[in-house]
Amino acid sequence: MSSSPPASAAPSAAPQLVPEPVSTAVGTGDFTITRHTHIVAKPGSAARVVAEDLAAYLRPATGYPLPVVSGPGGDRDIRLALGDAPELTPGQTAEGYVLDAGRDGVNLAADTAHGLFNGIQTIRQLLPARIESPTTVPGPWTIPSVHIVDYPRYAYRGFMLDIARHFQTPETVMRLIDEASAYKINTLHLHVSDDQGFRIVINGFPNLTDIGSQGSVGTDGRTMDPGGFWTQQDYRGVVAYAAAHFMSVVPEVDSPGHNNAIIMSEYDDTTNPLLNGHPQDINCSVHNPPQWNFIGDVGFSAMCPESENSFTIYHAIISQLSAMSTSPYYHLGGDEVPSTVLDQDRYAAFINAEMPLVTAQGKIPMGWAELAGPGTNPPAGSVAEYWNPASGTSPDTATAHEAVAKNMKIVMAPANHAYLDQKYAPDTPPDLGLTWACNSGCDVDQFYNWDPGSYVTGVTDQNVIGVEGAMWGETVRNLSEVQYLVFPRLIALSEVGWTPQAARDYDGFLPRLAAQGPRLTMAGTNFYPTPKVPWG
Ligand code: TNX
């Protein structure tokens, strides 16, 4: 009845998976997907949706119909089921999955649809790299015999993208969602505003995009690179697309600094009925009146904590973005305000006035780790994102300790291990990437070889909820440039965030990373072919 090739009895080779699963046992007898294979899932169940996702991943390259059908399914089928994964203990069920592949097909089980989605990412990597081809290519489509039990180390595994320094389209971001979710990244942190651009329509404040979206870094404003913005419909579309890839979206409009685009937009907005007629009082920047700066400087702009207009504007931003976003977190920035611009009391006053605007929307405040500094009162459980390269007992780790002392949770993103905008090596293409955190380069070894749970002495997995790779936008103008800096380093970070520390080792990681090269190539994803990886 089946025209599939005979199953082999030889032991399967160890699969080359990233992130490395918690446990992988290799068996004998593999399974080959054929044009007769079905994908089986209960009708109407959340498993059905993920089954459709799997079919959509596998149809282009195989050219097979791979119909999604109701149970029970026969031999040589791929079966997805919810609630049939007794090997997962309670702490492991939110995203865990159990995958069995062998002569009789594939059984994927999980307690949640997210777990199944993680499992189908593993199935993709068990197949030959050609499976990533967008057009039909020859098989065979053989999956080795494996028994995998898998779940993440951290609940938060983030990718941050700055669409403020250079505008990026919704289509670009959706493409990056495809690529990041393939490595089980589950959070997209969108940095939508900074000194050089404000990128999302906010109702009631049309100037924010009419004026604030027109510039970008490095173009002297308005002629060479016109900037751009998203409508709220665009934003909702990206959030929905992310949700379909089991990624939640954390929006960030930085404050009280990094917001010259807001100040330039609203400073003269004297007739806006939502403001009180003298919006000039929002400006606490070094320049008065404020002026554009497109050269990528940081630390020159701030909004004033004494101005009610500041919070009218932030209230509109926070309430509208929160209502459209899926993450429990809202990121209010909080980084890099020099004390010469706002002293610590005024900085803390701003943050303390802004956090209730976030909690009123039912969101948990999140911010760069300065948010934990003296005088601020973040609610317990709010999140500090630690970006400082300092580690161990260095005095520069202070913000991490302040966050712990305030019962905050921590997302680790130390710039020298997690900033995707840093150059790989001092001599990689001269116009892409910055160097401040990585004088001698930050290649995949640097992204892989650190432990978020012991990086700062005294900050442990009791406090750390995850990791994030930050793709700042000063030097990247389009998808291809972003991909070049993101890959393969985000893949290394995905394993830092997923795989138990004790199961990680760089020598074992390198060949598994090398195996991702042809997958990226097949999928048309640009990446830096670092000489550190034995691409083969
Ligand atoms: C620091 S560290 C920034 C960003 C820059 C980035 C460039 C932090 C929270 N902010 O504003 O884009 O460095 O690498």
Side-chain angles (χ1 to χ4, degrees):
M1 151 201 146
S2 153
S3 64
S4 58
S8 107
S12 297
Q16 306 279 296
L17 303 171
V18 186
E20 175 90 316
V22 171
S23 121
T24 307
V26 177
T28 54
D30 48 29
F31 164 64
T32 299
I33 299 175
T34 71
R35 65 177 58 259
H36 304 289
T37 302
H38 306 112
I39 301 178
V40 184
K42 240 198 201 144
S45 73
R48 188 76 170 205
V49 178
V50 182
E52 292 289 357
D53 290 340
L54 178 61
Y57 286 136
L58 304 184
R59 283 176 188 141
T62 62
Y64 299 155
L66 300 173
V68 176
V69 301
S70 309
D75 280 1
R76 312 206 156 270
D77 282 339
I78 301 174
R79 292 168 287 264
L80 273 60
L82 279 171
D84 192 19
E87 284 157 285
L88 298 174
T89 62
Q92 302 164 355
T93 53
E95 289 195 60
Y97 64 92
V98 177
L99 175 63
D100 258 306
R103 279 192 197 90
D104 298 337
V106 176
N107 286 311
L108 174 63
D111 265 38
T112 64
H114 196 170
L116 291 177
F117 186 79
N118 288 327
I120 68 173
Q121 305 313 321
T122 300
I123 291 175
R124 294 170 78 183
Q125 289 190 27
L126 290 168
L127 284 159
R130 300 185 305 282
I131 198 65
E132 299 305 327
S133 169
T135 55
T136 304
V137 289
W141 304 108
T142 300
I143 294 178
S145 169
V146 285
H147 178 70
I148 292 174
V149 180
D150 199 15
Y151 50 87
R153 175 179 181 185
Y154 293 118
Y156 186 112
R157 302 179 307 282
F159 168 60
M160 190 215 82
L161 183 67
D162 169 8
I163 62 168
R165 267 53 174 274
H166 279 94
F167 176 66
Q168 305 291 348
T169 63
E171 292 69 33
T172 286
V173 176
M174 289 191 245
R175 178 69 201 236
L176 292 163
I177 287 169
D178 292 338
E179 294 166 351
S181 60
Y183 293 97
K184 304 184 175 82
I185 298 291
N186 67 3
T187 304
L188 173 67
H189 165 185
L190 268 185
H191 184 87
V192 304
S193 165
D194 214 296
D195 290 320
Q196 297 82 9
F198 189 95
R199 305 294 180 206
I200 293 184
V201 168
I202 299 296
N203 298 326
F205 292 92
N207 286 5
L208 287 174
T209 37
D210 287 350
I211 297 173
S213 76
Q214 303 290 307
S216 29
V217 167
T219 59
D220 216 21
R222 292 147 197 272
T223 46
M224 290 171 57
D225 184 334
F229 65 88
W230 296 3
T231 64
Q232 293 203 351
Q233 199 182 342
D234 290 333
Y235 183 80
R236 285 180 210 275
V238 169
V239 171
Y241 193 84
H245 294 74
F246 293 86
M247 290 178 73
S248 61
V249 176
V250 181
E252 177 193 358
V253 171
D254 213 332
S255 68
H258 279 281
N259 51 18
N260 202 44
I262 300 178
I263 296 168
M264 293 301 290
S265 301
E266 295 306 325
Y267 186 78
D268 288 321
D269 199 5
T270 49
T271 57
N272 189 319
L274 298 175
L275 300 176
N276 63 11
H278 48 88
Q280 298 84 356
D281 64 10
I282 63 175
N283 182 39
C284 276
S285 302
V286 295
H287 300 295
N288 197 8
Q291 59 193 56
W292 282 113
N293 173 326
F294 291 112
I295 62 174
D297 279 352
V298 298
F300 63 90
S301 65
M303 282 168 77
C304 304
E306 297 81 9
S307 163
E308 65 172 304
N309 292 311
S310 297
F311 299 102
T312 305
I313 295 166
Y314 271 100
H315 175 261
I317 290 170
I318 291 167
S319 58
Q320 291 177 39
L321 289 180
S322 294
M324 295 189 291
S325 303
T326 41
S327 171
Y329 306 114
Y330 174 93
H331 202 299
L332 43 79
D335 57 316
E336 296 183 317
V337 185
S339 56
T340 48
V341 177
L342 288 183
D343 65 26
Q344 183 64 25
D345 285 351
R346 295 176 77 208
Y347 170 86
F350 197 106
I351 295 294
N352 288 341
E354 190 180 2
M355 285 187 298
L357 304 181
V358 174
T359 52
Q361 301 302 318
K363 299 289 183 184
I364 301 169
M366 175 168 179
W368 301 104
E370 288 98 312
L371 195 75
T376 65
N377 49 26
S382 47
V383 178
E385 181 161 7
Y386 182 78
W387 60 268
N388 203 301
S391 62
T393 57
S394 160
D396 290 342
T397 61
T399 54
H401 297 291
E402 288 166 333
V404 170
K406 291 184 180 179
N407 294 311
M408 298 178 79
K409 296 296 180 188
I410 299 187
V411 167
M412 293 298 279
N416 53 337
H417 298 284
Y419 268 24
L420 294 158
D421 71 324
Q422 300 294 302
K423 278 184 189 290
Y424 289 91
D427 59 355
T428 44
D431 57 342
L432 278 193
L434 303 178
T435 56
W436 67 266
C438 301
N439 290 331
S440 50
C442 277
D443 210 326
V444 288
D445 51 341
Q446 191 73 6
F447 272 63
Y448 192 84
N449 290 320
W450 65 292
D451 173 13
S454 64
Y455 189 70
V456 172
T457 306
V459 176
T460 69
D461 281 356
Q462 296 275 92
N463 320 107
V464 175
I465 59 166
V467 297
E468 182 158 280
M471 182 61 246
W472 296 104
E474 284 94 331
T475 69
V476 286
R477 289 156 297 189
N478 53 46
L479 175 63
S480 167
E481 293 178 347
V482 171
Q483 288 171 328
Y484 184 85
L485 289 180
V486 168
F487 296 104
R489 293 183 292 192
L490 185 65
I491 302 176
L493 268 190
S494 79
E495 184 153 312
V496 174
W498 182 280
T499 307
Q501 183 64 22
R504 294 207 294 120
D505 92 285
Y506 183 61
D507 289 342
F509 169 66
L510 282 177
R512 288 184 291 105
L513 181 57
Q516 307 311 307
R519 291 177 189 280
L520 297 172
T521 302
M522 274 286 164
T525 301
N526 192 25
F527 67 101
Y528 170 59
T530 167
K532 306 234 174 197
V533 173
W535 298 108

